[in-house]
Amino acid sequence: MARRGFQGAVLTAFGVEYHTATVLGTEQTTPRMRRVWLTSSTLFEDVSLAPTAWLRIWFPDPDGSESEFQRGYTIAEADTETGKFAIDFVLHEPAGPASAWALAVEGGETVEVTSFGSKNFTVSEDLPAGYLLIGDPASIPAVNSILAAVPHHVAIELYLELHHK
């Protein structure tokens, strides 16, 4: 059995509900971003799909130990009726557990996911004059979900950190 350390113990103590997600396939969306398509028959019974909804996903140790590591990822696309969803991974060097997994994963493999701790962005009824969004490439799925939710007449100023040229 994989070891999840202190983080796993804390999440278990809080009674998180885990869902098995099966990889359907991958696609390279940019030279440094890979989209992984997954499906889960139970995830959307527990997850409210809204802007910036994110999941905790447990990844195997790229060095081959029995340890697993969790990371948080915003849902990039989803079809709650079918249970199909996509997660975008920034590919970086050196590759950590999630990036290494995204580079190597193939259809049919499974991971465990939970939505514990996810707080969604909501558009206020009293709209502000505008929004200021600041992020890096890993924030693009969250930024995209906010852009889709904010009415088009509300100004948005966006700054994304450049990591590579």
Side-chain angles (χ1 to χ4, degrees):
M1 171 145 227
R3 293 177 299 196
R4 295 186 174 167
F6 180 74
Q7 292 177 350
V10 169
L11 291 172
T12 299
F14 278 114
V16 301
E17 178 143 353
Y18 288 105
H19 303 274
T20 299
T22 303
V23 175
L24 298 172
T26 65
E27 62 183 287
Q28 199 71 31
T29 56
T30 73
R32 297 194 186 276
M33 185 86 68
R34 176 165 288 196
R35 177 166 284 184
V36 178
W37 286 96
L38 304 111
T39 187
S40 172
S41 61
T42 61
L43 179 65
F44 293 107
E45 295 170 4
D46 190 37
V47 173
S48 171
L49 190 61
T52 71
W54 58 273
L55 304 172
R56 293 177 190 268
I57 306 173
W58 286 94
F59 300 101
D61 183 354
D63 294 329
S65 79
E66 290 186 18
S67 295
E68 287 185 324
F69 302 92
Q70 67 88 22
R71 301 288 187 267
Y73 282 87
T74 303
I75 300 170
E77 284 189 49
D79 180 344
T80 58
E81 295 294 317
T82 65
K84 183 178 175 181
F85 63 100
I87 302 291
D88 290 342
F89 293 84
V90 174
L91 305 176
H92 51 85
E93 290 296 330
S99 185
W101 178 84
L103 278 168
V105 72
E106 296 181 3
E109 294 183 39
T110 61
V111 290
E112 285 194 59
V113 302
T114 184
S115 66
F116 184 79
S118 183
K119 303 277 190 236
N120 299 328
F121 171 86
T122 56
V123 177
S124 172
E125 288 185 27
D126 296 326
L127 290 173
Y131 289 93
L132 172 63
L133 304 178
I134 301 171
D136 65 3
S139 70
I140 291 173
V143 167
N144 286 340
S145 70
I146 292 170
L147 294 175
V150 172
H152 295 286
H153 66 277
V154 176
I156 296 176
E157 191 166 343
L158 171 63
Y159 294 90
L160 285 176
E161 181 181 9
L162 177 64
H163 286 272
H164 296 90
K165 291 185 180 190

